[in-house]
Amino acid sequence: MLPKVNQTLFIQINSIDEEEAKQEYKSRIADVSDTYISMEVPMNDKSGKLKRLYPGDELSVYFITEGGVKNYFFSSVLGFSDDVIRLVLIKKPDPESITKVQRRNFLRVPAILEIAVKFSEQLQFVSLTDDVGGGGISFLCEGYVPVESGHTVECWLLVPFKNGQIEHVPFKGEIVRVKELETGKKQVMMRFSEITDRDRQKIIRYCFERQLDFRKR
């Protein structure tokens, strides 16, 4: 399903500036053509300031449909239109590239991905996940690591895609459960407590690619 005229788009900008990348903007769709979407200049909800965009800016976008479903897609700024008011023209997504996610029911898939975990300046290590999803992950660690439910840790996840692209996804996670395994290792389950929508979308995209692989087997 493609977004429609008058729907609200929620936008984050792919920026090397970490603070800028966390900001979320809102915009209303003015028109939809065969190749682009015209939208009003995005506004930061918290500050009320308009966001100036430039041709080539890469955007992470979602719109909400019935039932609270978030529809995620990537886009980029193509140019501008100055009829009655200034509009921003962004690339129209391929319907098949839009991922639909119910916030309370994020897709989760088995996956062995490299993850860097930082408990403190003194305790940092690299491990492997055993499943990932849009709402959280689980990973394995050595039995001596003092992990407990309620701890919040900083993580960096390495996410590979089918096209060969590899993304680094930073986030903070809250440990919700720790299970001791017969091997002597621990399985640590956590939910995302701080993650940008753009980075969450990367994980969701990976999960959908993995799910398609499972269906083909």
Side-chain angles (χ1 to χ4, degrees):
M1 177 187 292
L2 288 166
K4 300 174 182 177
V5 173
N6 287 327
Q7 274 191 308
T8 299
L9 297 179
F10 299 85
I11 301 159
Q12 286 183 306
I13 300 164
N14 188 1
S15 172
I16 57 173
D17 183 326
E18 194 171 320
E19 283 305 311
E20 171 61 29
K22 290 179 181 178
Q23 299 299 314
E24 184 173 271
Y25 302 89
K26 288 171 66 174
S27 177
R28 186 184 67 85
I29 296 176
D31 191 23
V32 179
S33 79
D34 290 339
T35 56
Y36 62 82
I37 294 171
S38 302
M39 67 177 188
E40 295 173 353
V41 176
M43 176 183 289
N44 186 309
D45 244 6
K46 293 180 180 178
S47 67
K49 293 182 179 179
L50 297 176
K51 176 61 182 175
R52 185 172 183 178
L53 297 174
Y54 298 90
D57 278 350
E58 295 181 349
L59 312 174
S60 173
V61 186
Y62 72 86
F63 59 98
I64 299 174
T65 49
E66 190 176 350
V69 176
K70 284 189 173 184
N71 300 262
Y72 290 90
F73 65 91
F74 289 107
S75 186
S76 58
V77 177
L78 299 175
F80 306 93
S81 169
D82 291 294
D83 288 338
V84 180
I85 60 171
R86 185 170 178 80
L87 298 174
V88 182
L89 310 181
I90 65 172
K91 184 179 178 182
K92 184 178 177 180
D94 182 332
E96 293 185 0
S97 72
I98 298 175
T99 53
K100 299 181 180 182
V101 178
Q102 181 82 37
R103 178 169 284 278
R104 295 180 183 177
N105 189 28
F106 283 115
L107 176 65
R108 208 173 179 100
V109 296
I112 300 174
L113 301 180
E114 191 171 299
I115 183 172
V117 183
K118 179 181 178 182
F119 280 85
S120 65
E121 293 299 332
Q122 293 74 35
L123 182 55
Q124 305 175 42
F125 57 87
V126 174
S127 187
L128 297 173
T129 64
D130 56 359
D131 70 44
V132 300
I137 66 161
S138 66
F139 67 89
L140 302 177
C141 69
E142 298 298 332
Y144 63 79
V145 178
V147 290
E148 293 181 9
S149 297
H151 281 176
T152 297
V153 296
E154 291 183 58
C155 301
W156 294 264
L157 186 66
L158 208 61
V159 183
F161 297 107
K162 275 186 172 182
N163 62 6
Q165 181 183 3
I166 297 176
E167 292 279 1
H168 292 79
V169 175
F171 64 88
K172 287 185 180 179
E174 179 189 348
I175 297 172
V176 295
R177 188 181 170 203
V178 179
K179 181 180 178 182
E180 294 188 5
L181 305 178
E182 292 180 358
T183 59
K185 292 192 174 186
K186 292 177 180 177
Q187 182 188 41
V188 181
M189 286 148 271
M190 65 167 63
R191 68 171 186 85
F192 299 135
S193 57
E194 282 187 36
I195 186 170
T196 66
D197 267 315
R198 189 183 77 253
D199 285 330
R200 192 195 300 273
Q201 184 181 353
K202 293 173 186 175
I203 295 175
I204 291 168
R205 175 185 161 196
Y206 172 81
C207 291
F208 272 87
E209 287 188 356
R210 286 281 290 170
Q211 189 182 49
L212 288 174
D213 283 342
F214 292 142
R215 287 176 179 173
K216 290 176 182 177
R217 291 176 184 175

